[in-house]
Amino acid sequence: MSEEPVGGDLSRLRQLNASAVLRELRGDQPLTLTELSKRTGLSRASTEDVARDLLGRGWLAEVAPASGSVGRPARRYRFNAGAGRLLGVDIGGHKALALVTDLDGKVLNQTRITVDPEAGRRERLAAMDRCVAKALAGAGVEAGQIWSTGVATTGLVDGSGKVMLSDSLPEWSGVDLAAHVRRLVPGPVRVENDCKLAALAETWHGVARYAKDVVFLLAGLRTGAGLIIDGKLHRGFANWSGEIGALPAAGWLRAPEHLTSWLEGTAASPSAPVEFESVFIAARAGDQSAVQAIRDYVQDLAVGASALVLTLDPQLVVIGGGFSRSADVMVEPLRRELDRWCLRTPEIRVSAFADEGVALGAVRLALDEVEATIRTGLRP
Amino acid sequence: MSEEPVGGDLSRLRQLNASAVLRELRGDQPLTLTELSKRTGLSRASTEDVARDLLGRGWLAEVAPASGSVGRPARRYRFNAGAGRLLGVDIGGHKALALVTDLDGKVLNQTRITVDPEAGRRERLAAMDRCVAKALAGAGVEAGQIWSTGVATTGLVDGSGKVMLSDSLPEWSGVDLAAHVRRLVPGPVRVENDCKLAALAETWHGVARYAKDVVFLLAGLRTGAGLIIDGKLHRGFANWSGEIGALPAAGWLRAPEHLTSWLEGTAASPSAPVEFESVFIAARAGDQSAVQAIRDYVQDLAVGASALVLTLDPQLVVIGGGFSRSADVMVEPLRRELDRWCLRTPEIRVSAFADEGVALGAVRLALDEVEATIRTGLRP
DNA sequence: TCACGTTATCCAGGACTCCTGGATAACTAT
DNA sequence: ATAGTTATCCAGGAGTCCTGGATAACGTGA
């Protein structure tokens, strides 16, 4: 139903076999032709032909042969991640973050610029531009070398890359991010919601690598979710998926207040997200009021999370977002709450990313675009 | 990620092109080679070759040429749905229902047997056997002619076709339905939950034909849901998807009580599901207490439904199950309730099936199995 | 050092599938 | 009848894959 493998020309067959070879080589260790041939099911001779082809086009690179085995040493190939460059941008409330990576997602440069949360559209876009320029310069990459770009933003994004609605950022609804970024870099530009991209990053290089169905919870000043279903990012009909927070019964809107009100009880102001650490630090030190605040928070979080879990029955729940650095104290209470509601409580893991997960997801989005073009014509 | 189109031999290319041709011919009207060639993108000559091949194997049938056009009349082909037979069985609390269909899902025989809700495992299985035998006889089909079989049951089903858990049917947990049915018919047998299959039937021949993301609500004495995501049935990691009713906040357990208590207020006993009609009839006639009972019911139903909708953002919500015959009086209240909670209320449709939807979904499950074998070798 | 086994690479030859383009067939319209 | 139109049939050629054999490169043991 979804993506019917379509037939066609003989060249189409070559394309399929070439992507099969590339897929095998996305694993980390280089492979010999014989190994490749076994994995793809192609004959050795054809594998050789395909590999020669891909090598000529720059998709593969040769690696020094392994020594120490009997027989003639085999040439070894690896995916040439350096063939192209990807750009991932996360434009949020307090910061702009840009990643320049290779085709494996290896970060060549990570640049962060702080942005005034009150900044208007013009100012925020300008900050993003500076951030991108700095990241490109830092990686020693011309804008023209960027193959594909992904952009993450809060709020709801339509298919063409416009921000439809954003309550948290001033003057942000309606901005055509894709068009704006297309002026900076060539190649395709895709825009997506930050929660969704954070989820995507987890299945790519994060803690959800081997799961097909994943619920990602963004736990921070905002609460949100991103869903991976059958290995793919689920968007929904109008890209509104995962917005369970809209249900008052879920309690996601009020959930963070348990933490902010605890902070207000202490001296620190909760304006900067860093300050939030203190609740978790206090809880870890045994402060009962902090423990209780976190418990209340998790209790509210868990109702919505349970709704997501009961709906989808995922293999895995990943906690990310601003609070995830301190999420070790959240996991157990969350598990207990989920046990209360869910028929089968999934595994719970904490994101290993700091705050670059969203931008990495944007890179993955950019890579999706590249891989789609692989399937329909191998360009370089 | 999910189903990577894999390459291979030249024969693999032929397979792909053959399935492309078959896919085009699953549309209702027969096509000429020229039309097929245009739709598949293949050259005319190759299309002819593929069609000749498929015709020889029995997958296609020739239709009398259309007259009245200029030029030489073209031969026309259609999918030969009569090449094989499928069996779909729905084994529920009150009845067993078996469908024998062709490869298009056209029903050749529909047989229903009533079963005592209190019947034990042995008795229920025996009733199912009788039902299947009668359906086969009624369709004039030998068991050996059945290519593939799907079975629907309440409760949760594991991957191998065992019922893991069923609260509603006595002695039903643990029964190995697949193994049992495999003694009746050759060919693959797959078992799945009834809500899920009802959802599948709607996307196949029901009111959800053109939607990729669908929430199906089973509204009856039991309340349940089946999810279609990206055109495919979503099962979840342990096949527990859609069980939002487990969340007390969703209110699905108590929802039908609003209707049963109204019925208890009247003379009729709510044991037989037919009696339920009376609430809806009364409501349609303007009985305010009945209208209120339905409103209360819908209000409880809508909370869980909203959770599903907010999670997935489907294009469409389909109402099926025992109450769906009378669902016209439910649609408007449901829409109003969903409007209260959802960011975007999807289209709401009522299933057009009576109670054979579940069995038809079982047939679709059987057909999935057949189509999978098409992609890896065209047998007959 | 050299033959030998092992493994990889290279090189036809053959089979299959698709494409192109032209010749032939069948039907309608004038 | 003849012209026009569309479908079918029939090579010939190109691309891709497979098989199997010849050659190359390396380690091992005599």
Side-chain angles (χ1 to χ4, degrees), chain B residues 219 276-277 279-286 291 294 297-298 318-336 348-352:
Chain B
F276 264 94
E277 286 281 321
V279 193
F280 298 99
I281 291 168
R284 222 176 276 122
V291 168
I294 291 173
Y297 169 73
V298 167
V318 177
I319 304 178
F323 300 165
S324 63
R325 247 172 311 178
S326 322
D328 53 316
V329 292
M330 280 167 53
V331 170
E332 268 316 308
L334 181 63
R335 190 192 316 280
R336 272 198 301 275
I348 300 174
R349 289 192 175 194
V350 177
S351 169

Side-chain angles (χ1 to χ4, degrees), chain A residues 240-244 246-247, chain B residues 306-312 341-343:
Chain A
W240 291 77
S241 76
E243 297 288 336
I244 192 75
L247 206 61
Chain B
S306 300
L308 295 175
V309 167
L310 285 166
T311 300
L312 294 173
W341 309 121
C342 296
L343 299 173

Side-chain angles (χ1 to χ4, degrees), chain A residues 84-346:
Chain A
R85 300 283 178 245
L86 302 172
L87 175 63
V89 186
D90 172 16
I91 178 71
H94 298 265
K95 68 166 194 299
L97 201 162
L99 298 181
V100 177
T101 76
D102 66 13
L103 297 181
D104 272 340
K106 200 182 73 185
V107 176
L108 305 177
N109 182 281
Q110 169 168 349
T111 298
R112 175 196 327 266
I113 283 186
T114 58
V115 183
D116 181 0
E118 308 297 326
R121 173 189 298 196
R122 196 190 193 87
E123 200 177 332
R124 192 174 301 274
L125 287 175
M128 188 176 77
D129 292 357
R130 268 182 290 130
C131 185
V132 167
K134 214 168 151 190
L136 289 173
V141 167
E142 300 285 324
Q145 292 175 261
I146 297 291
W147 277 13
S148 178
T149 303
V151 182
T153 176
T154 63
L156 289 153
V157 179
D158 74 358
S160 72
K162 259 192 191 155
V163 177
M164 299 298 286
L165 181 69
S166 171
D167 354 325
S168 47
L169 301 189
E171 299 177 14
W172 204 240
S173 296
V175 60
D176 190 341
L177 266 179
H180 182 84
V181 174
R182 262 192 271 274
R183 294 195 318 226
L184 303 177
V185 287
V189 174
R190 289 177 61 187
V191 184
E192 191 48 87
N193 170 269
D194 52 358
C195 288
K196 293 191 172 67
L197 291 181
L200 203 53
E202 297 297 338
T203 60
W204 188 30
H205 281 160
V207 296
R209 238 167 300 180
Y210 302 109
K212 269 178 37 186
D213 296 309
V214 181
V215 165
F216 175 85
L217 294 177
L218 182 90
L221 277 173
R222 288 179 305 124
T223 311
L227 310 175
I228 304 291
I229 299 179
D230 203 22
K232 293 201 299 272
L233 180 62
H234 178 72
R235 294 186 164 84
F237 187 63
N239 217 1
W240 291 77
S241 76
E243 297 288 336
I244 192 75
L247 206 61
W252 277 14
L253 281 174
R254 70 165 180 271
E257 289 171 15
H258 295 294
L259 302 182
T260 51
S261 63
W262 185 91
L263 285 165
E264 279 160 16
T266 69
S269 113
S271 64
V274 196
E275 315 280 354
F276 264 94
E277 286 280 321
S278 54
V279 193
F280 298 98
I281 291 169
R284 221 175 275 122
D287 180 325
Q288 279 311 305
S289 68
V291 168
Q292 186 59 45
I294 290 173
R295 194 172 297 156
D296 291 345
Y297 169 72
V298 167
Q299 201 163 340
D300 277 347
L301 182 70
V303 178
S306 299
L308 296 174
V309 167
L310 285 166
T311 301
L312 294 174
D313 184 29
Q315 180 175 2
L316 183 61
V317 171
V318 177
I319 304 178
F323 299 166
S324 62
R325 246 172 312 178
S326 322
D328 52 316
V329 292
M330 279 169 53
V331 170
E332 270 315 309
L334 181 62
R335 191 192 315 281
R336 272 198 301 276
E337 288 295 316
L338 289 182
D339 278 340
R340 280 176 65 190
W341 309 122
C342 295
L343 298 174
R344 186 189 70 81
T345 303

Side-chain angles (χ1 to χ4, degrees), chain B residues 142-316:
Chain B
E142 300 285 323
Q145 292 175 262
I146 296 293
W147 277 13
S148 178
T149 302
V151 181
T153 175
T154 62
L156 289 152
V157 180
D158 75 357
S160 72
K162 260 193 194 154
V163 177
M164 299 299 284
L165 182 70
S166 171
D167 354 324
S168 47
L169 300 190
E171 301 176 13
W172 204 239
S173 296
V175 60
D176 189 341
L177 267 179
H180 183 83
V181 174
R182 260 191 273 273
R183 294 195 317 225
L184 304 177
V185 289
V189 174
R190 290 176 62 185
V191 184
E192 190 50 86
N193 170 268
D194 53 357
C195 288
K196 293 192 171 69
L197 291 182
L200 204 52
E202 297 297 340
T203 59
W204 187 30
H205 281 161
V207 296
R209 239 166 300 180
Y210 303 109
K212 267 178 34 185
D213 296 309
V214 181
V215 166
F216 174 85
L217 294 178
L218 182 89
L221 277 173
R222 288 178 304 124
T223 311
L227 310 176
I228 305 291
I229 299 178
D230 202 21
K232 291 200 300 274
L233 180 61
H234 178 71
R235 293 186 165 84
F237 186 62
N239 216 3
W240 290 77
S241 76
E243 298 288 336
I244 192 76
L247 206 61
W252 277 14
L253 280 175
R254 71 164 178 272
E257 290 171 15
H258 295 294
L259 302 182
T260 52
S261 64
W262 185 91
L263 286 166
E264 279 159 17
T266 70
S269 114
S271 64
V274 195
E275 317 279 351
F276 264 94
E277 286 281 321
S278 54
V279 193
F280 298 99
I281 291 168
R284 222 176 276 122
D287 180 324
Q288 278 313 304
S289 69
V291 168
Q292 187 58 44
I294 291 173
R295 194 172 296 157
D296 291 345
Y297 169 73
V298 167
Q299 201 162 341
D300 277 346
L301 183 69
V303 178
S306 300
L308 295 175
V309 167
L310 285 166
T311 300
L312 294 173
D313 185 30
Q315 179 176 1
L316 182 61

Side-chain angles (χ1 to χ4, degrees), chain B residues 103-115:
Chain B
L103 298 181
D104 272 341
K106 198 181 75 186
V107 177
L108 305 178
N109 182 278
Q110 168 167 350
T111 298
R112 176 195 327 267
I113 283 186
T114 58
V115 182

